[in-house]
Amino acid sequence: MVSMAVTSLYTIADGIFVGRFIGAEALAAVNLVMPLIMISFALADMVAVGSSVQIAIRLGERDEHEANRIFSFACGLIFAISVAAGAIGFFFAGDLMRLLGAEGAVLRYAVDYMRVYALFSPAIMIFFAVDNFLRICGKVRYSMIMNIVISLANIALDALFIVGFRKGVAAAALASCLCLAAGTAIGFWPFLRGRLPLRFTRSSLKPRAVFNIVANGSSEFFSNIASSVCMVLFNAVLMAQGGYLAVAAFSVIMYIDSVVKSILFGMSDALQPAISYNYGARDTRRVFALERRVQLAGFLVSIAVLAWMLTGAQSILPYFMEAGNTALLELSRRALHLFALSYLVSWCGIVSGSFFTALGRPLSSLLLSFSQTLLLPGLSLLLLPRLWGLDGVWLSPLAAGLLAALLSAVLLRRIVRRLRQE
């Protein structure tokens, strides 16, 4: 949880450097590009999460040979996916940005930013997978320290490239990619030394095993895809309602939100291997105990963040924009206060979805993920802006989160009942 939160802090630093030292157009460009980058990462994350669940269950069953086969196959598959995604992103960056409505300076910034990520994709997409594998092997502190170090290094490189050397938005992407690539090397070092339960081996999996990996990771995949598509929809509506300033304000809110979401996802993902392991060991009492605690923690964190956003968070908004840009500042303040209300309920769907994945219940996890990240936000975004304009856009996450929480409660009740029968 700490490592994911610190990772999001470098994302915030990235936004501050881009918005304050390059401008609102660059900030809007990054917000347009990021959903597409996240879509490419979603494929790698699908394999990483799906394989992590299977690996943890096999280790709980004391089947280390099969765990190593799954681990090796997953790493090779993620590398192949990253090469293909990088090629598409590099050669079609301009066409993709034009489809999203980018033009002028926003288009130039967006293409430059996307192509840097595309070039580095084979070295950085697997970073998020190795983080999962380290935690499965009990290297939690190593993973945390690794994430903290590369995050702080990213902030330092942002300051050097953007403020010191006065480079453009591509420099921000380069700083992130260099640090993530270094993180990949650091993350795989313990595995290459052969001192962890998981080791590389020549492997090929049966179609059924590959299907299980994809199925178990499908909820996270569709969650990431749906979130990215939803971001694209938000950007389109905001461009229509308020132009690039509205997109820039949304970008500021998303930078702040990324820290909160990373804490919620971090605590959920951190307990996912433990839940899977105990489920494999048939210790349902411990499974329930772990989930009750993470649900309570998610609620308490969200309420604390809501209180902070309504009282003191607006003081950090000026750091994301050029001095004197009062229009963007006022728009961001309004957006922050309305968007913050979504934290009353948004934690429930995040925590519950991770629980379903940990138990190897991909259909329940997929249904919840699709609903809370695309279907319900899309419906809210379709209706509320027609009633309240820009305010409707900022309130859409609250409406979607409330409906997703109700769905989570229904699915949780059904699955808990089945586990007790088992």
Side-chain angles (χ1 to χ4, degrees), residues 84 100 230 259 286 366 394:
L100 297 180
C230 192
V259 176
R286 193 168 179 82
L366 178 59
W394 312 131

Side-chain angles (χ1 to χ4, degrees), residues 231-248:
M231 284 278 288
V232 171
L233 294 176
F234 264 95
N235 287 332
V237 172
L238 288 168
M239 285 290 284
Q241 293 277 349
Y244 79 89
L245 274 182
V247 176

Side-chain angles (χ1 to χ4, degrees), residues 61-326:
E61 296 171 343
R62 301 295 190 270
D63 189 354
E64 293 187 2
H65 175 70
E66 186 63 18
N68 288 331
R69 284 165 51 85
I70 296 171
F71 165 68
S72 302
F73 178 84
C75 290
L77 182 57
I78 291 172
F79 179 77
I81 290 171
S82 64
V83 171
I88 294 172
F90 185 84
F91 291 108
F92 296 98
D95 295 331
L96 292 171
M97 290 301 101
R98 291 186 188 93
L99 284 175
L100 297 180
E103 57 184 18
V106 175
L107 175 61
R108 293 193 301 273
Y109 286 139
V111 170
D112 290 345
Y113 195 87
M114 187 172 186
R115 283 180 171 166
V116 173
Y117 266 91
L119 286 172
F120 277 86
S121 61
I124 64 177
M125 285 176 64
I126 201 168
F127 168 77
F128 303 100
V130 73
D131 192 50
N132 284 353
F133 299 145
L134 284 170
R135 285 187 281 108
I136 288 174
C137 294
K139 302 289 286 185
V140 179
R141 291 184 180 178
Y142 185 91
S143 173
M144 180 184 70
I145 294 171
M146 175 186 70
N147 279 283
I148 292 174
V149 169
I150 67 170
S151 299
L152 295 178
N154 199 336
I155 294 173
L157 287 183
D158 269 337
L160 180 64
F161 291 169
I162 298 176
V163 182
F165 295 159
R166 296 291 178 180
K167 299 298 182 182
V169 71
L174 180 60
S176 298
C177 290
L178 287 174
C179 293
L180 289 174
T184 298
I186 295 170
F188 273 113
W189 178 244
F191 295 102
L192 296 175
R193 296 182 67 187
R195 296 185 177 181
L196 297 180
L198 294 178
R199 293 176 173 83
F200 287 106
T201 182
R202 293 184 179 181
S203 67
S204 61
L205 297 182
K206 295 179 180 179
R208 180 181 178 84
V210 177
F211 175 79
N212 286 337
I213 289 175
V214 174
N216 281 319
S218 61
S219 62
E220 277 68 21
F221 169 71
F222 284 106
S223 175
N224 289 330
I225 290 290
S227 296
S228 299
V229 172
C230 192
M231 284 278 288
V232 171
L233 294 176
F234 264 95
N235 287 332
V237 172
L238 288 168
M239 285 290 284
Q241 293 277 349
Y244 79 89
L245 274 182
V247 176
F250 182 56
S251 178
V252 172
I253 304 306
M254 288 298 98
Y255 278 121
I256 299 173
D257 179 67
S258 68
V259 176
V260 183
K261 290 299 195 300
S262 71
I263 293 173
L264 295 174
F265 278 113
M267 68 171 64
S268 302
D269 290 348
L271 287 181
Q272 194 175 80
I275 292 173
S276 297
Y277 183 93
N278 284 282
Y279 178 66
R282 300 295 186 265
D283 190 350
T284 54
R285 180 192 62 81
R286 193 168 179 82
V287 168
F288 292 145
L290 288 166
E291 182 58 17
R292 284 195 298 270
R293 283 160 174 76
V294 75
Q295 290 277 0
L296 177 61
F299 170 73
L300 294 176
V301 167
S302 298
I303 293 301
V305 170
L306 172 62
W308 174 71
M309 279 192 154
L310 294 178
T311 56
Q314 59 183 334
S315 62
I316 70 173
L317 294 179
Y319 292 103
F320 289 91
M321 53 201 71
E322 297 168 295
N325 196 337
T326 56

